């Protein structure tokens, strides 16, 4: 039986996050950047979605595990994201799902988790940049009512691609009501543990 947990990213997660980042982005962030975001930046609220599965223990080892009550568990970061909160603005700095787990609703949990976190931090809007060619990510953002506010010409240095600046207005009560409904819906669908959206980071601010 698998359990999903949405929680703050920790230093121990970095190797798994970097693997996902490397297959998702060009250029990718370095492990050092993640360490900075997790431990140093006072603006940053990095998040992971972790999938935990109890592993079957074979043969005689199972007997001893049963007596001691120990269980072997496999923990996997299936998706992650980054949110900066700077004076009223929530800025989504990154979001990705492990390629093996795309299409399972995990990116949506991470996005909705960051929007909910921005709301609990009293952000007035959430903004992000997305490549004009990245229609999959745009669909996800549109589902959450992000609107294209501007085009940033040649924003991406590796190929000079333009970015859409997409924004979600968190001062509009109707938008927040619909967001709350969607959040309740994905909580009911995936029943994940939420240790992020309403939890203060332990970092000094
Ligand atoms: C964008 C990304 C995070 C989506 O993650 P995911 O876990 O696969 O997405 P989900 O399964 O949660 O899908 C949520 C929504 O995204 C959109 N979506 C996801 N996959 C899609 C696809 N193949 N085609 C069209 N829309 C898609 C849909 O709106 C979907 O909602 P629906 O299921 O009700 O149709 C993932 O594709 C990814 O990691 N891409 C590479 C990194 C990246 O581009 N990040 C964004 C940078 S701006």
């Amino acid at each position: 039986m698998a359990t999903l947990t949405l929680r703050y990213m920790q230093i121990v997660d970095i190797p798994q996050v970097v693997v996902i980042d490397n297959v998702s982005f060009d250029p990718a962030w370095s492990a050092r950047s993640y360490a900075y975001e997790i431990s140093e930046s006072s603006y940053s609220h990095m998040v992971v979605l972790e999938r935990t599965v109890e592993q079957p223990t074979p043969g005689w080892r199972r007997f001893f595990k049963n007596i001691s009550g120990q269980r072997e568990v496999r923990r996997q970061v299936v998706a992650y994201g980054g949110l900066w909160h700077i004076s009223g603005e929530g800025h989504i700095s990154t979001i990705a799902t492990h390629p093996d787990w795309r299409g399972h609703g995990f990116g949506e949990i991470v996005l909705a988790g960051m929007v909910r976190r921005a709301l609990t931090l009293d952000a007035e809007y959430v903004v992000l940049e997305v490549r004009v060619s990245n229609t999959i990510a745009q669909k996800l953002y549109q589902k959450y009512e992000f609107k294209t506010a501007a085009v940033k010409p040649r924003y991406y240095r590796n190929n000079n691609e333009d970015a859409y600046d997409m924004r979600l207005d968190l001062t509009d009560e109707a938008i927040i009501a619909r967001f709350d409904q969607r959040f309740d819906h994905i909580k009911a669908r995936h029943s994940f543990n939420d240790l992020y959206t309403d939890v203060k980071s332990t970092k000094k601010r």
Side-chain angles (χ1 to χ4, degrees):
M1 171 76 173
T3 307
L4 288 172
T5 304
L6 191 69
R7 59 165 176 78
Y8 278 95
M9 189 184 291
Q10 299 166 4
I11 293 289
V12 71
D13 299 319
I14 292 176
Q16 288 194 66
V17 167
V18 165
V19 167
I20 303 172
D21 191 328
N22 274 306
V23 294
S24 301
F25 296 110
D26 179 17
W29 286 13
S30 64
R32 188 188 283 258
S33 307
Y34 283 105
Y36 172 79
E37 296 289 330
I38 293 167
S39 315
E40 305 283 328
S41 168
S42 55
Y43 304 118
S44 190
H45 300 258
M46 303 299 290
V47 61
V48 295
L49 183 67
E50 182 181 65
R51 186 173 181 273
T52 311
V53 189
E54 242 179 60
Q55 298 286 84
T57 313
W60 59 270
R61 285 173 57 210
R62 183 169 47 225
F63 175 73
F64 290 108
K65 295 261 176 196
N66 285 345
I67 293 177
S68 66
Q70 286 176 4
R71 293 277 183 277
E72 284 183 19
V73 288
R74 175 175 148 76
R75 298 174 184 285
Q76 187 185 7
V77 172
V78 289
Y80 71 89
L83 172 75
W84 294 320
H85 177 244
I86 308 170
S87 57
E89 174 178 301
H91 194 130
I92 290 179
S93 56
T94 187
I95 178 170
T97 300
H98 190 293
D100 292 349
W101 291 101
R102 288 183 189 161
H104 287 76
F106 295 161
E108 181 168 352
I109 295 175
V110 170
L111 178 73
M114 290 192 287
V115 171
R116 167 56 64 83
R117 186 78 196 101
L119 273 166
T120 60
L121 289 164
D122 288 332
E124 287 161 17
Y125 63 97
V126 178
V127 62
L128 55 83
E129 288 87 20
V130 57
R131 287 178 186 270
V132 294
S133 65
N134 192 349
T135 51
I136 290 181
Q138 287 162 33
K139 285 250 160 48
L140 170 60
Y141 306 141
Q142 282 156 3
K143 184 172 176 181
Y144 278 79
E145 302 198 50
F146 281 77
K147 302 275 186 289
T148 301
V151 178
K152 295 185 171 178
R154 296 177 296 285
Y155 182 80
Y156 295 98
R157 297 257 173 86
N158 68 329
N159 65 352
N160 287 327
E161 186 172 349
D162 296 351
Y164 289 134
D165 172 316
M166 296 188 77
R167 288 174 187 240
L168 175 65
D169 181 359
L170 298 182
T171 61
D172 183 326
E173 285 180 13
I175 289 179
I176 294 174
R178 287 193 293 273
F179 171 79
D180 286 343
Q181 272 183 354
R182 281 191 198 99
F183 195 76
D184 289 346
H185 176 76
I186 58 168
K187 276 221 87 170
R189 179 176 163 210
H190 296 281
S191 66
F192 57 91
N193 302 311
D194 182 358
L195 305 179
Y196 175 71
T197 66
D198 207 11
V199 178
K200 255 192 168 170
S201 156
T202 51
K203 243 179 314 188
K204 289 199 186 93
R205 293 187 186 279

